[in-house]
Each structure stands twice: as structure tokens, then as C-alpha cells.
Amino acid sequence: MGKDVIVALDFENREKTLGFLDLFTEEKPFVKIGMELFYAEGPAVVREIRARGHRIFLDLKLHDIPNTVKKAMAVLSALDVDMVNLHAAGTAAMMEAALEGLTRPDGTRPLLIAVTQLTSTDQERMERELLIPHPLEEVVLRYAENARRAGLDGVVCSPLEAGQVHDRCGADFLTVTPGVRFAGGDAGDQKRVTTPQRARALGSDYIVVGRPITRAGDPAAAYRRCLAEFVG
Ligand code: C5P
């Protein structure tokens, strides 16, 4: 388990996505399919990318009552993906139901990862809008602990938080970390960025990389550079 680069397929449709994947002639990257592509193309695009031999993180961030999430997870599990996620804010009951739904008749299941507080939520909004009067970092770690207790496999977090999450939740509790940029690269809208090498040193298990690979002149070369820096 662990230490891999996940390429974020943030494309609007099947054609652009498959055109991008065609650039990888030698390797089969682990890829992330998010809401944009899934809502545009539905489960068919997931099956198609799977059939091409890619491992898939389906990033749909479920959050609903436990019974609904359980049933939705059963559908996603049947798509034969490798990793899915939900919002830890849905509580332990929802996370436990999700695990039940995900588990296939043969006992196998995709990895289940929790989103803690989105990085778009800051301290002020959390206190003023959500009435949560605690340091954001503590809230993130509490959500991670809740996810761990509910039996989940890990959380999405910043590489800068990976060490603390491992300290609280154990070395085998996975940290899946976006916000990665090459040294000297364009940060775009990401505020706190880390190089693949630094993410490795900080203890990230999987880095999620979008634009540094999707917008590179040679995406396959950028992917290989990322792998070399992160996995070694
Ligand atoms: O292009 P970039 O490398 O910034 O893409 C990062 C990917 O990780 C995007 O798909 C983005 O939605 C996702 N993500 C993130 N920050 C989070 C959670 C997910 O950037 N906190």
C-alpha cells in the first residue's frame, strides 16, 4: 500500500480526458476522477478508464444520511474503483454505513478516505458560519480521529499536516495530499504548496497532482519527474 502519484483528471468531458491519457504510452498512472467529469459522463467513463488499466480514485465526496450513503457506496464499489471518499462531517454513523456499503460480497473493498475541513474553509468562516469555536487544525485532527475510529483508511489533507495525522492516527492511516507543485512552478490557486520531494519527506502516502502534469508541455515526462521525486 501507498507511495504513489495520483493524476487529477480535471477535464470537462470524455474526449479531452482520453486524449490526455493517450499521451501515456508507457505507464498507467493512478488517476482521480472528480465531480466535473463524473457528472458530465457518468459511470461509463469510469468503466472505460478502468478497462484501459488505470487505478482510479473516485473523488465524489459523499455526504448524506447513512442509509443513502451506504447504498451509493455499494454502486461505486461495483464500478471496481480503488479509492473513494466522503465528508467526515457526516459523522461516524455515516462513515460506518459507507464502509458497509462499499464492502463487496467477497470481502474486498476500495480504500475509503475522509475529507476533513475543505481547504477553502478558513478559521473565520468556520467560527462565524459553522459555529465551530476551535482551532481549524484541531478540527481537522478530530475529524481524522473520527474517521480512523469508524474504520476508514485515511484522510485527504495538506502534506504539511501529514505528520500530525500520522502521529494521532497511526503510521498506516493514509494521507492523500493535494497542493503539490514542482520547485519554481506556478502555484495557481493553491495557497500552501509543497514539492513532491518535500511531500515525501513530510510523510504523505499519495500525492494528488493536477495542473503541474495536465498543463505540462510533456505530461508523461512531468508525471515521471513527479514519480522520481516522490517515490524515488
Ligand atoms: O491542479 P492541482 O494540482 O491544484 O489539482 C489538485 C487536485 O486536488 C484538484 O482535483 C483539486 O480539486 C483537488 N483538491 C485540492 N485541495 C483539496 C482537496 C482536493 O486541490 N483540499
Side-chain angles (χ1 to χ4, degrees):
M1 203 180 328
K3 292 293 177 218
D4 206 350
V5 174
I6 302 179
V7 181
L9 298 178
D10 292 324
F11 297 106
E12 65 204 54
N13 59 35
R14 168 186 178 275
E15 194 191 350
K16 287 189 180 164
T17 306
L18 297 187
F20 171 76
L21 291 176
D22 283 342
L23 301 172
F24 295 81
T25 50
E26 286 160 36
E27 49 279 289
K28 292 281 178 197
F30 195 150
V31 297
K32 178 170 90 71
I33 296 176
M35 293 184 201
E36 184 186 15
L37 183 59
F38 189 79
Y39 290 153
E41 302 286 356
V45 78
V46 177
R47 290 194 194 95
E48 197 168 0
I49 292 171
R50 184 80 187 135
R52 284 172 164 236
H54 294 274
R55 281 167 296 147
I56 297 174
F57 170 20
L58 197 49
D59 176 19
L60 300 180
K61 300 186 179 68
L62 276 67
H63 187 175
D64 208 316
I65 59 170
N67 188 53
T68 301
V69 169
K70 178 177 168 180
K71 290 183 171 175
M73 285 294 185
V75 175
L76 300 185
S77 186
L79 284 176
D80 192 26
V81 294
D82 300 278
M83 186 185 286
V84 297
N85 61 359
L86 48 63
H87 277 282
T91 77
M94 188 198 80
M95 293 193 268
E96 286 162 9
L99 270 181
E100 269 181 54
L102 265 189
T103 305
R104 303 179 183 115
D106 65 0
T108 63
R109 64 168 175 79
L111 293 170
L112 182 57
I113 304 295
V115 174
T116 56
Q117 279 290 354
L118 291 171
T119 45
S120 51
T121 307
D122 60 17
Q123 184 73 41
E124 198 211 328
R125 278 171 219 253
M126 196 182 69
E127 287 182 21
R128 189 165 40 83
E129 294 181 27
L130 308 180
L131 299 181
I132 301 176
H134 298 284
L136 183 57
E137 197 176 78
E138 271 309 309
V139 175
V140 166
L141 289 172
R142 167 60 77 94
Y143 282 15
E145 285 175 329
N146 292 347
R148 172 73 177 183
R149 267 190 233 113
L152 271 66
D153 303 294
V155 287
V156 179
C157 64
S158 159
L160 303 165
E161 294 155 2
Q164 270 181 308
V165 169
H166 284 139
D167 287 349
R168 287 267 189 115
C169 299
D172 59 343
F173 191 65
L174 300 173
T175 52
V176 179
T177 67
V180 173
R181 293 293 178 268
F182 290 121
D186 177 11
D189 55 359
Q190 295 281 12
K191 299 273 186 290
R192 299 190 304 154
V193 299
T194 311
T195 63
Q197 221 160 16
R198 178 113 181 88
R200 172 197 167 118
L202 290 167
S204 295
D205 296 293
Y206 292 90
I207 52 173
V208 176
V209 187
R211 287 161 291 181
I213 293 175
T214 57
R215 299 207 184 152
D218 182 345
Y223 170 70
R224 282 194 293 269
R225 176 180 172 192
C226 224
L227 267 185
E229 281 194 29
F230 184 65
V231 183

